[in-house]
Amino acid sequence: MANSEYEYVKREFEFDRCLPPSNWIVVRIDGCHFHRFSKIHAFEKPNDKNALRLMNACATAVLEKFPDIVFAYGVSDEYSFIFREETEFYHRRESKILSLCVSYFTSVYVMKWKDFFPNKELKEPPYFDGRAVCYPNLKTIRDYLAWRQVDCHINNQYNTCFWMLVKSGKSEQEAQLALKGTFAKDKNELLAQQFQINYDDEPAMFRKGSSVYREKVETTVKIDDFGDPIKRPRLKVTVAHVDIIGPEFWENHQHILREGKILHWFVKKFGINHILSHCNWIVVRINACQFDQFSTIHSLDKPNDETALSLMNESASLMMEQYPDIVFAYGFSNEYSFVFHEKSELYQRQESLILSSCSSYFTSLYITKWKEFFPHKELMQTPRFETEALCYPKLKIVCEYLSWRQAECHAGNQYNTCFWMLVKSGKSEKEAHEILKGTLSKDKNELLFQQFQMNYNNEPAMFRKGSCIYRQKVEELAGAEDGDNDTTRERWHVKVDHVDLGPGFWRKHSWITTNCTQ
Ligand code: GTP
Ligand code: MG
């Protein structure tokens, strides 16, 4: 494909999810609205032999087409396909694997319909949905298959009884009632006593579902000079209706689910990097873990410790120096959100690298700056920060996100201010919680005013509004070395502010979110 100016839409937006290596991949497909589909095509109830044979023929064709599928198991309108553990089919790209399986299966279903229903017209296009699931070892893949076969048994036993009762004259509701709460044993007895049916004599295809796999069969490969066939064992796709829950089948067919070899080159493929979508604003939010304990150990002031908040602000400001792509930061209490410019290419936008480096650098700053802010307090416990990355496609949503964090700051701080005033005035913590339960913002302001003569709005803005950090142009004297004191030059300065983050703020500071700070 030629590289056009538009090619970036692929390079930057299309990402293929690759299924992790060294896992068995199961693609399970299921007929969409087959309840209706089987009705309009008058399938026999509860099992239509031809419909099931058609499904099996499709599965056989799928195995013949895709050699990396080692086993398939089908029941009713569903089929599971198992890819060998070390398959490199389409480099394990999920969308390719899934879409090809489901599309090829459907295509064969339509093409072969006439072979199985020569006298029935296909009245509407059948279609299937599908999912891909990874199973890490032989045990889980065997258990997966056992789960499907147990399901087949339970459903089929129920459906056999249900339709026998209906065919004998009961209404569907009566049949349902008759079977409610019955066990497998009861159902077998019902079939034996009322209908002289031994459930175990029912066709194995109905009871056991269908297993599709390659089996060695003696195949005529050519005719010798005397006209006798020369036979050789060849792998041929086979359908069987057997028990796959117990060990016997697997002991006799060890070639099917063979575990792959671990190759040294392949170990590095486990490192799957998630890329944060291009042209999205990335928000990295850092939050101190178990900060309650940390603040108690270091006897930080309650509800707000100005020095601890200043240390958070200093660390965040230094983050902005280190990461030029951070255009804005907002923090309160023990958390900080860093907004990366939508065009940031930091670590090619690999989530794990962005997350880990931010988290680590912030932690490092916090610890190294601790002494400056708390010269008389030793750092007794190592602080830890958990970090997550969020992706926002529109600037408007980033602003909403920040407003949300600021609303949280306000609500939390107002509550905590009241709570600690009550506690300091002699109430127990439990009493203080009780008093504040269900109060609105207005009520809390009144409580502070009436009981403590405090005007909440006069509390420090850093506590009420949190801290915003952004770059601002400042003018400074330049050319001092030349003795020319008259000239000034502009410089970007990292500013910490405690203001409302409404639309007014963004209008007034429009440069923050445009390119001009870079
Ligand atoms: P979705 O899969 O959610 O789209 O719905 P669905 O209608 O396909 O139902 P679901 O997959 O849960 O169940 C499969 C349905 O297919 C059964 O409930 C039956 O109604 C129908 N079905 C499958 N095989 C046969 C069959 O051999 N005979 C008859 N009569 N119906 C069948
Ligand atoms: Mg279905």
Side-chain angles (χ1 to χ4, degrees):
M1 197 201 302
N3 271 352
S4 75
E5 65 178 294
Y6 305 113
E7 188 264 350
Y8 82 97
V9 297
K10 173 172 173 57
R11 192 181 60 239
E12 297 186 2
F13 290 92
E14 282 192 14
F15 292 101
D16 288 309
R17 199 174 102 85
C18 288
L19 296 163
S22 198
N23 274 263
W24 304 87
I25 299 169
V26 173
V27 172
R28 182 170 72 247
I29 70 173
D30 184 288
C32 294
H33 310 297
F34 257 52
H35 188 67
R36 178 191 139 86
F37 185 86
S38 53
K39 223 177 209 162
I40 63 169
H41 292 99
F43 282 3
E44 268 177 45
K45 283 167 178 159
N47 294 294
D48 188 296
K49 270 205 175 95
N50 288 326
L52 292 173
R53 284 187 186 133
L54 171 55
M55 291 286 285
N56 295 345
C58 296
T60 304
V62 170
L63 258 84
E64 281 165 352
K65 183 85 185 161
F66 305 120
D68 277 10
I69 299 177
V70 291
F71 191 82
Y73 178 74
V75 44
S76 179
D77 67 337
E78 75 164 56
Y79 240 104
S80 300
F81 295 96
I82 302 178
F83 283 79
R84 65 192 179 92
E85 198 184 25
E86 68 276 39
T87 182
E88 275 302 318
F89 189 56
Y90 283 97
H91 302 295
R92 302 176 77 95
R93 282 160 66 187
E94 181 178 18
S95 55
K96 286 274 181 192
I97 292 176
L98 196 51
S99 55
L100 280 172
C101 280
V102 79
S103 147
Y104 191 68
F105 189 97
T106 309
S107 169
V108 179
Y109 195 97
V110 178
M111 302 275 285
K112 286 193 186 280
W113 174 269
K114 261 208 209 78
D115 298 347
F116 292 85
F117 295 106
N119 303 317
K120 266 185 203 171
E121 198 197 334
L122 187 55
K123 291 195 178 129
E124 60 179 42
Y127 63 116
F128 297 82
D129 61 30
R131 73 187 73 205
V133 186
C134 284
Y135 291 96
N137 50 42
L138 205 52
K139 179 183 183 319
T140 47
I141 196 72
R142 286 266 309 272
D143 286 350
Y144 169 81
L145 290 168
W147 168 53
R148 295 324 302 141
Q149 194 165 49
V150 167
D151 232 40
C152 163
H153 169 71
I154 294 171
N155 289 335
N156 187 60
Q157 213 189 19
Y158 182 95
N159 290 338
T160 307
C161 293
F162 180 85
W163 288 109
M164 283 312 291
L165 288 166
V166 171
K167 282 174 193 168
S168 76
K170 294 239 183 317
S171 75
E172 296 199 3
Q173 214 190 3
E174 285 167 338
Q176 240 168 21
L177 267 190
L179 293 171
K180 214 170 151 180
T182 55
F183 294 111
K185 194 169 56 74
D186 308 327
K187 293 198 194 73
N188 275 356
E189 261 168 38
L190 181 147
L191 287 174
Q193 281 165 14
Q194 290 194 34
F195 307 107
Q196 294 75 53
I197 289 177
N198 181 351
Y199 180 72
D200 291 339
D201 293 341
E202 285 290 286
M205 178 162 71
F206 302 168
R207 289 182 295 112
K208 302 282 178 205
S210 302
S211 297
V212 187
Y213 51 92
R214 289 179 193 83
E215 179 95 284
K216 266 192 192 136
V217 287
E218 289 292 318
T219 314
T220 305
V221 286
K222 62 178 178 185
I223 307 291
D224 67 13
D225 295 344
F226 308 102
D228 293 326
I230 299 178
K231 292 194 169 179
R232 293 271 183 279
R234 288 279 186 269
L235 286 175
K236 190 173 178 304
V237 177
T238 317
V239 182
H241 315 292
V242 290
D243 179 272
I244 52 169
I245 300 172
E248 196 188 329
F249 174 82
W250 299 109
E251 274 162 13
N252 294 333
H253 297 83
Q254 291 185 18
H255 65 282
I256 296 177
L257 296 182
R258 243 199 336 248
E259 288 186 294
K261 288 193 199 83
I262 305 279
L263 303 170
H264 65 90
W265 55 266
F266 158 110
V267 173
K268 67 174 184 283
K269 298 182 119 204
F270 284 90
I272 293 166
N273 272 319
H274 179 236
I275 305 285
L276 295 164
S277 297
H278 281 265
C279 299
N280 273 240
W281 299 80
I282 299 169
V283 174
V284 171
R285 185 167 68 222
I286 292 180
N287 192 312
C289 300
Q290 297 172 342
F291 198 70
D292 250 359
Q293 199 186 45
F294 183 86
S295 59
T296 311
I297 290 177
H298 297 96
S299 26
L300 300 182
D301 287 345
K302 285 171 168 149
N304 292 292
D305 188 295
E306 203 171 333
T307 317
L309 289 173
S310 303
L311 171 56
M312 289 286 283
N313 291 347
E314 173 71 1
S315 307
S317 304
L318 292 168
M319 285 284 285
M320 297 199 51
E321 311 261 344
Q322 179 72 10
Y323 296 91
D325 286 0
I326 299 177
V327 292
F328 190 80
Y330 175 73
F332 69 98
S333 178
N334 62 350
E335 73 162 61
Y336 242 103
S337 299
F338 296 96
V339 181
F340 283 78
H341 199 275
E342 59 179 335
K343 298 208 173 73
S344 175
E345 276 303 326
L346 181 66
Y347 295 121
Q348 290 91 47
R349 302 178 77 93
Q350 293 179 69
E351 182 179 20
S352 54
L353 297 179
I354 294 176
L355 267 190
S356 51
S357 84
C358 283
S359 175
S360 160
Y361 194 64
F362 190 87
T363 310
S364 189
L365 288 169
Y366 192 90
I367 298 174
T368 48
K369 290 276 158 192
W370 175 271
K371 258 210 190 75
E372 245 174 69
F373 284 80
F374 293 107
H376 307 299
K377 264 185 205 173
E378 206 186 322
L379 189 56
M380 315 270 279
Q381 192 190 48
T382 39
R384 280 173 297 128
F385 295 89
E386 59 179 22
T387 308
E388 61 194 310
L390 312 156
C391 245
Y392 294 114
K394 312 262 182 317
L395 179 59
K396 200 166 164 271
I397 311 177
V398 179
C399 296
E400 296 276 310
Y401 165 84
L402 292 166
S403 296
W404 167 53
R405 294 325 296 151
Q406 194 165 48
E408 290 282 302
C409 164
H410 168 72
N413 186 59
Q414 212 189 19
Y415 187 96
N416 290 336
T417 307
C418 293
F419 179 84
W420 288 107
M421 285 309 290
L422 288 165
V423 172
K424 282 173 194 169
S425 76
K427 294 261 185 297
S428 74
E429 297 200 1
K430 208 170 129 187
E431 285 168 336
H433 277 309
E434 276 300 311
I435 291 170
L436 292 171
K437 215 167 149 181
T439 55
L440 303 180
S441 170
K442 193 168 59 69
D443 308 328
K444 293 193 197 77
N445 274 357
E446 262 167 36
L447 180 148
L448 287 174
F449 191 71
Q450 280 168 12
Q451 291 196 34
F452 308 105
Q453 293 74 54
M454 252 175 94
N455 181 346
Y456 179 72
N457 293 324
N458 290 339
E459 286 290 285
M462 179 160 72
F463 302 168
R464 288 182 296 113
K465 306 277 178 204
S467 302
C468 313
I469 308 187
Y470 52 90
R471 293 185 191 83
Q472 187 160 41
K473 245 183 209 165
V474 288
E475 291 196 341
E476 62 176 18
L477 290 177
E481 323 73 274
D482 312 342
D484 181 5
N485 283 341
D486 291 345
T487 53
T488 55
R489 76 173 167 206
E490 286 181 336
R491 193 174 66 82
W492 287 105
H493 166 76
V494 172
K495 179 176 172 155
V496 182
D497 215 347
H498 314 288
V499 288
D500 267 328
L501 286 175
F505 175 86
W506 297 112
R507 258 198 309 276
K508 214 170 120 195
H509 300 80
S510 57
W511 70 84
I512 293 176
T513 49
T514 55
N515 275 336
C516 55
T517 55
Q518 304 305 309

